[in-house]
Every structure is written in structure tokens, then in C-alpha cells.
Amino acid sequence: MHTLPVLRDDDLSAAFDHAASTYDLLVGAHPGYHSQLRRSARRLGVRSLPPGSRLLDLGCGTGASTAALLAAGARRCGITAVDASAGMLERAATKRWPANVSFIQAPADRLGDAAADGPFDAVFAAYLFRNVTDTDGALAEVLAAMAPGGRIAVHEYALSGRAVHRAVWSAVCRGVVMPLGRATGNAALYAHLWRSVIDFDTAPRFADRMRRAGFVDVRALPLAGWQAGITHTFVARAPRREGPVA
Ligand SMILES: C[S@@+](CC[C@H](N)C(=O)[O-])C[C@H]1O[C@@H](n2cnc3c(N)ncnc32)[C@H](O)[C@@H]1O
């Protein structure tokens, strides 16, 4: 199993394009997928944002994370939902969204037109950064698109670093995730899912990466259930701008 490759850039987007039609079915079979997303969206504190605040949902996919933001109280904010995969965005577009939500196709490390909707008061990135080739470049791009003092919540499979959590992740992938991936014709994407988590930063390392990128008040918060020690919410802020020196 260790020889399976991760997918990157165009290959990854093509795999998500192909998987888009069964994506919602598969995440619906994942116990707690939507409730854990809503938990991370609440940790972003969107309910306390003033009306008219700007939110970025980076790597929005078919809109599960966008829906979590709305459920967490983001109804009076403008939400720009961005993804690199045209297929995932097409799937998102088949759903009913309130007028404050718009979808844009862009890669996370070159936000282009999506950045023009900013500066963002809050950013949500669910299951994104592990997929990105240049993680530091994408973190820098996101920070540059944020308002001073803006909030970010990264919801990600980032292992604790303990052998038991790595073993549980591999067992779940071997027993459930990869067979479902093969059954739906998406073997490479779901092998990528397993491998990309094994290869990604542990939670303490990703928190340090965010600090090095310039985020402040970085905390890695655990999630519950079978994902304990496997999935974390990383909450942080963009630094506030220094005032003029008297
Ligand atoms: C696992 S899905 C998560 C979707 C959604 N956030 C959710 O919680 O269900 C990851 C999404 O990230 C997108 N993605 C991967 N790499 C990306 C990149 N470099 N730039 C923008 N989107 C990317 C994929 O196309 C995919 O839709």
C-alpha cells in the first residue's frame, strides 16, 4: 500500500471532476462528516461576525463546507466559495444557495478574481491543504487575501503523530474508504486520500507551519468520534496591522 502515489494539480482536479457525481453519496456514508464540518465552522465564530462580513470557503468542493458555514450562522455574510475542480463546482451549482453565496474556479495558491471579493474577514478551508502542492505558497496567498485580524479555520485530516491514530486511519481506508472508491470508479482518488494523509504534516507540524506563514493565535483543536487524533480544526488569525509609531 505504501507505493500508491498522491495526485497533484491537474491530475487531482481531473480525479475530483470524475468523482464529483458520487462525492455527496460517499461523504453522506461517512459518520459525522457534516456535523464535524459544522463544528469547525462554529469554531470559526462566524455567528459573531458583523453583517456584510466577507467569508472565503477555500476548496469548497460540492458545497458541504459552504453549507456548514451557513448552518453555523453565516447567512448575513458574503461567501465566496472557491475550488480548482470544475466538476465539483458544477455539482455545487445544482444545489439551491442563498444570494450571498457565489462560486469561483481558482487554485488555492493563485486566487486571482476570487481575491477581488476580499479582503476576507474569515476563511474556512476544509480538507484542502493536504491536497495542495505548495502548502506554504497557498497559506501565504490566503493570508494576503485576509483582512487584518481576520479569522481562519482549517479543518483537516492531520494525524496526531501517535502510532495508534495512523493505524486507525490506515484500517479505515483499507476496510472502507478504498473499497468504496474502487466500487464508484474512483480508486486513484481514494488511494490518494489515504496516502496524502499519511504524507501530510502531523497536527503540531501544521500548526507550526501556520505560525511560520505569519498567522497568530494558532491552536489545533481535536474533533470527536472515530476522527479523534485524525482530524483537527486549526484556528488562527491574521495579524492586526501595526499602528503608526508615535
Ligand atoms: C475533499 S474535497 C473537500 C470539499 C469540501 N470543502 C468539503 O468539506 O466537502 C477537497 C476539495 O479541494 C479542492 N482542491 C484540491 N486542491 C486544490 C487547490 N490546489 N486549489 C483549489 N482547490 C483544490 C478539490 O477540487 C476538492 O473539491
Coordinates of all heavy atoms in Angstrom, one line a residue, residues 12-13 16 23 27 33 37 57-65 82-85 88 106-109 126-128 130-133, ligand 1:
L12 N -5.1 15.8 -9.9 CA -6.0 15.8 -8.8 C -7.3 16.4 -9.2 O -8.4 15.9 -8.9 CB -5.4 16.5 -7.6 CG -6.2 16.5 -6.3 CD1 -6.5 15.1 -5.8 CD2 -5.6 17.4 -5.2
S13 N -7.3 17.6 -9.9 CA -8.6 18.2 -10.3 C -9.4 17.3 -11.2 O -10.6 17.2 -11.1 CB -8.3 19.5 -11.0 OG -7.9 20.5 -10.1
F16 N -11.0 14.7 -9.1 CA -12.2 15.3 -8.4 C -13.3 15.5 -9.4 O -14.5 15.3 -9.1 CB -11.9 16.6 -7.6 CG -11.4 16.3 -6.2 CD1 -10.1 16.5 -5.9 CD2 -12.2 15.8 -5.3 CE1 -9.6 16.3 -4.6 CE2 -11.8 15.6 -4.0 CZ -10.5 15.8 -3.6
Y23 N -19.6 12.1 -5.0 CA -18.9 12.6 -3.8 C -19.9 12.8 -2.7 O -19.6 12.3 -1.5 CB -18.3 14.0 -4.2 CG -17.5 14.6 -3.0 CD1 -16.2 14.2 -2.8 CD2 -18.0 15.5 -2.1 CE1 -15.4 14.7 -1.8 CE2 -17.3 16.0 -1.1 CZ -16.0 15.6 -0.9 OH -15.2 16.1 0.1
V27 N -19.6 11.0 1.1 CA -19.4 11.7 2.4 C -20.7 11.5 3.2 O -20.6 11.6 4.5 CB -19.1 13.2 2.2 CG1 -17.8 13.4 1.5 CG2 -20.2 14.0 1.6
Y33 N -19.5 13.3 9.1 CA -18.8 14.2 8.1 C -19.4 15.6 8.2 O -18.7 16.6 8.4 CB -19.0 13.7 6.7 CG -18.1 14.5 5.7 CD1 -16.8 14.1 5.4 CD2 -18.7 15.5 5.0 CE1 -16.1 14.8 4.5 CE2 -17.9 16.3 4.1 CZ -16.6 15.9 3.8 OH -15.9 16.6 2.9
L37 N -17.9 19.1 10.2 CA -17.7 20.4 9.4 C -18.4 21.5 10.1 O -17.8 22.6 10.2 CB -18.2 20.2 8.0 CG -17.4 19.5 7.0 CD1 -18.1 19.5 5.6 CD2 -16.0 20.2 6.8
D57 N -14.6 30.4 1.4 CA -14.6 28.9 1.6 C -13.7 28.3 0.6 O -14.1 28.2 -0.6 CB -16.0 28.3 1.5 CG -16.1 26.8 1.6 OD1 -15.1 26.3 2.1 OD2 -17.1 26.2 1.3
L58 N -12.5 28.0 1.0 CA -11.4 27.6 0.0 C -11.4 26.1 -0.1 O -11.3 25.4 0.9 CB -10.1 28.1 0.5 CG -8.9 28.1 -0.5 CD1 -9.3 28.8 -1.8 CD2 -7.7 28.8 0.2
G59 N -11.6 25.6 -1.3 CA -11.7 24.1 -1.6 C -13.1 23.7 -1.2 O -13.3 22.7 -0.5
C60 N -14.1 24.4 -1.7 CA -15.5 24.2 -1.3 C -16.1 22.9 -1.9 O -17.1 22.5 -1.3 CB -16.3 25.4 -1.8 SG -16.3 25.6 -3.6
G61 N -15.5 22.4 -2.9 CA -16.0 21.1 -3.5 C -17.4 21.2 -3.9 O -17.8 22.2 -4.6
T62 N -18.3 20.3 -3.5 CA -19.7 20.3 -3.9 C -20.5 21.2 -2.9 O -21.7 21.2 -3.0 CB -20.3 18.9 -3.9 OG1 -20.2 18.4 -2.6 CG2 -19.5 18.0 -4.9
G63 N -19.8 21.9 -2.0 CA -20.5 22.8 -1.2 C -20.9 22.3 0.2 O -21.6 23.0 1.0
A64 N -20.3 21.2 0.6 CA -20.6 20.7 2.0 C -20.1 21.7 3.1 O -20.7 21.9 4.1 CB -20.0 19.3 2.2
S65 N -18.9 22.2 2.8 CA -18.3 23.1 3.8 C -19.0 24.5 3.7 O -19.2 25.2 4.7 CB -16.8 23.3 3.5 OG -16.5 23.4 2.1
V82 N -14.6 28.8 -3.4 CA -13.6 28.6 -4.4 C -13.1 27.2 -4.5 O -12.9 26.5 -3.5 CB -12.3 29.5 -4.1 CG1 -11.2 29.2 -5.1 CG2 -12.7 31.0 -4.2
D83 N -12.9 26.7 -5.7 CA -12.4 25.3 -5.9 C -11.7 25.2 -7.2 O -12.0 26.0 -8.2 CB -13.5 24.3 -5.9 CG -13.0 22.9 -5.5 OD1 -12.5 22.2 -6.4 OD2 -13.1 22.5 -4.3
A84 N -10.7 24.3 -7.3 CA -10.0 24.1 -8.6 C -10.7 23.2 -9.6 O -10.4 23.2 -10.8 CB -8.6 23.6 -8.3
S85 N -11.6 22.4 -9.1 CA -12.3 21.4 -9.9 C -13.6 21.9 -10.5 O -14.5 22.2 -9.8 CB -12.5 20.1 -9.1 OG -13.5 19.3 -9.7
M88 N -16.5 19.5 -9.5 CA -17.1 19.7 -8.1 C -17.9 21.0 -8.1 O -19.0 21.0 -7.5 CB -15.9 19.8 -7.1 CG -15.1 18.5 -7.0 SD -16.0 17.1 -6.3 CE -15.6 17.4 -4.5
A106 N -10.8 28.5 -9.1 CA -9.4 29.0 -8.9 C -8.6 28.0 -8.1 O -9.1 27.4 -7.2 CB -9.4 30.4 -8.3
P107 N -7.3 28.0 -8.3 CA -6.4 27.2 -7.4 C -6.1 28.0 -6.2 O -6.0 29.2 -6.2 CB -5.1 27.0 -8.3 CG -5.1 28.1 -9.3 CD -6.5 28.6 -9.5
A108 N -5.9 27.3 -5.1 CA -5.7 27.9 -3.8 C -4.4 28.8 -3.7 O -4.4 29.8 -3.0 CB -5.6 26.9 -2.7
D109 N -3.5 28.5 -4.5 CA -2.2 29.4 -4.5 C -2.2 30.5 -5.5 O -1.2 31.2 -5.6 CB -1.0 28.5 -4.6 CG -1.0 27.6 -5.9 OD1 -2.0 27.7 -6.6 OD2 0.0 26.9 -6.1
A126 N -11.7 23.4 4.3 CA -12.0 22.0 4.8 C -11.5 21.0 3.9 O -11.8 20.9 2.7 CB -13.5 21.8 5.0
Y127 N -10.6 20.2 4.4 CA -10.0 19.0 3.6 C -9.3 19.6 2.3 O -9.3 18.9 1.3 CB -11.0 18.0 3.2 CG -11.8 17.4 4.4 CD1 -13.1 17.6 4.6 CD2 -11.1 16.7 5.3 CE1 -13.8 17.0 5.7 CE2 -11.7 16.1 6.5 CZ -13.1 16.3 6.6 OH -13.8 15.8 7.7
L128 N -8.6 20.7 2.5 CA -8.0 21.3 1.3 C -6.4 21.2 1.4 O -5.8 20.6 0.4 CB -8.3 22.8 1.2 CG -7.4 23.5 0.2 CD1 -7.9 23.2 -1.3 CD2 -7.3 25.0 0.4
R130 N -4.0 19.5 2.6 CA -3.3 18.3 2.3 C -3.2 18.0 0.8 O -2.4 17.2 0.4 CB -4.1 17.2 3.1 CG -3.9 15.8 2.8 CD -4.9 15.0 3.6 NE -6.3 15.5 3.5 CZ -7.0 15.2 2.4 NH1 -6.6 14.4 1.5 NH2 -8.3 15.6 2.4
N131 N -4.1 18.6 0.1 CA -4.1 18.3 -1.4 C -3.3 19.3 -2.2 O -3.1 19.1 -3.4 CB -5.6 18.4 -1.9 CG -6.5 17.3 -1.4 OD1 -6.1 16.2 -1.6 ND2 -7.6 17.7 -0.8
V132 N -2.8 20.3 -1.5 CA -2.1 21.4 -2.3 C -0.7 21.1 -2.4 O 0.0 20.6 -1.5 CB -2.4 22.7 -1.5 CG1 -1.5 23.8 -2.0 CG2 -3.9 23.1 -1.5
T133 N -0.1 21.3 -3.6 CA 1.3 21.0 -3.9 C 2.2 22.0 -3.1 O 3.1 21.5 -2.4 CB 1.6 21.2 -5.4 OG1 0.7 20.4 -6.1 CG2 3.0 20.8 -5.7
Ligands
LIG1 C1 -12.0 16.6 -0.1 S1 -12.7 17.9 -1.0 C2 -13.5 18.9 0.2 C3 -14.6 19.7 -0.3 C4 -15.4 20.5 0.8 N1 -14.5 21.5 1.4 C5 -16.0 19.6 1.8 O1 -15.7 19.8 3.0 O2 -16.7 18.6 1.5 C6 -11.3 18.8 -1.4 C7 -11.6 19.9 -2.5 O3 -10.4 20.7 -2.6 C8 -10.2 21.0 -4.0 N2 -8.8 21.3 -4.2 C9 -7.8 20.4 -4.2 N3 -6.6 21.1 -4.4 C10 -7.0 22.4 -4.7 C11 -6.2 23.5 -5.0 N4 -4.9 23.5 -5.1 N5 -6.9 24.7 -5.2 C12 -8.2 24.7 -5.0 N6 -9.0 23.7 -4.7 C13 -8.4 22.5 -4.5 C14 -10.7 19.8 -4.7 O4 -11.0 20.1 -6.1 C15 -11.9 19.3 -3.9 O5 -13.1 19.8 -4.3

